[in-house]
Amino acid sequence: MIMKQILAFGDSNTWGLVPGSKPHERFAWEQRWTGILQEKFDPEEVRIAEEGLCGRTTVFEDELRPGRKGVSAIPVLLESHYPLDAMILMLGTNDCKTSYNASAYTIGLGLERCLDAAERFVKSENILLVSPIHLGDDVWRPEKDPEFNEESIKKSIELKEVYSKIARKRGIPFIAASDHVTASRVDDEHMDTEGHKIFAQVVFDELKKLKLA
């Protein structure tokens, strides 16, 4: 039997950032949704390749932290992990930051560029597109993440509809993380350990339903 390889590509909620930790701390492998997902499979049949990065966006360059543009990283990482049987793509939260001044619609355009890059290596029907969790009501406060504002929260909520339309148009499987998980009240931005457990199960069920794993 040939092992299937699935790439999980995302931002800090894929990286496994511990809510409210400064400097950033990371949940252990067995606590992150990617690690939990891996443990649900026979390791000789499925490998989850984890590629999460804090601050990663769809197409926007972070002037303070270079190398965060997802569209630039995708070709390199997908070639590095080649061949891939499937990909899980979850981006958009960082695009809601005030510095990028992007609407949900514009973020969707950036996402489509990421999908264009991904489809060079993975069939469209084998890309599971995920709209991220919503930002919490107080995420913008100084003690949490003032890179966001109240408008950012609205944009994060709008991403579900924008992404679902893109998925339908392109024939790509889609789920909304916000239908199942909420951000921790500690920082209103990241999943806690329970959120990672729930999300891992949701992704597992979807991959099995789609026969991607």
Side-chain angles (χ1 to χ4, degrees), residues 87 115 118-119 122-129 170-173 212:
M87 177 183 184
L115 290 170
E119 287 174 351
V122 185
K123 295 178 181 178
S124 58
E125 61 266 29
N126 291 352
I127 299 174
L128 177 58
L129 176 61
R170 300 178 71 120
I172 293 175
L212 295 180

Side-chain angles (χ1 to χ4, degrees), residues 188-202:
D188 282 307
E189 185 177 356
H190 297 97
M191 294 185 288
D192 57 18
T193 52
E194 184 62 23
H196 277 267
K197 288 179 185 177
I198 294 170
F199 186 61
Q201 185 64 52
V202 169

Side-chain angles (χ1 to χ4, degrees), residues 22-166:
K22 296 179 182 180
H24 293 161
E25 296 177 12
R26 192 179 194 184
F27 285 125
W29 165 253
E30 63 271 16
Q31 295 175 303
R32 302 197 291 271
W33 71 263
T34 45
I36 299 168
L37 180 62
Q38 176 66 79
E39 293 303 310
K40 294 180 181 294
F41 293 109
D42 183 333
E44 295 186 0
E45 295 181 0
V46 176
R47 174 179 179 263
I48 303 299
E50 180 189 62
E51 287 291 351
L53 181 66
C54 297
R56 179 173 279 154
T57 66
T58 58
V59 297
F60 300 109
E61 189 66 77
D62 188 327
E63 296 299 327
L64 300 177
R65 294 182 294 177
R68 309 291 155 161
K69 289 172 60 173
V71 71
S72 298
I74 284 174
V76 176
L77 293 175
L78 269 64
E79 185 173 348
S80 174
H81 288 286
Y82 184 86
L84 288 167
D85 297 279
M87 177 183 184
I88 305 159
L89 176 60
M90 182 169 66
L91 288 176
T93 297
N94 292 299
D95 299 60
C96 296
K97 290 178 178 178
T98 57
S99 59
Y100 302 128
N101 193 32
S103 66
Y105 173 78
T106 300
I107 295 170
L109 294 178
L111 177 76
E112 291 215 67
R113 287 193 58 200
C114 290
L115 290 170
D116 290 340
E119 287 174 351
R120 291 172 50 203
F121 299 88
V122 185
K123 295 178 181 178
S124 58
E125 61 266 29
N126 291 352
I127 299 174
L128 177 58
L129 176 61
V130 184
S131 61
I133 60 174
H134 299 162
L135 293 167
D137 292 342
D138 295 325
V139 66
W140 53 270
R141 294 189 180 279
E143 66 273 18
K144 293 189 177 182
D145 195 341
E147 289 191 77
F148 297 103
N149 61 13
E150 291 177 317
E151 186 65 21
S152 301
I153 301 166
K154 179 183 176 183
K155 292 175 186 178
S156 76
I157 294 171
E158 293 172 344
L159 290 182
K160 175 183 173 180
E161 181 178 357
V162 171
Y163 283 23
S164 65
K165 288 181 179 178
I166 291 171

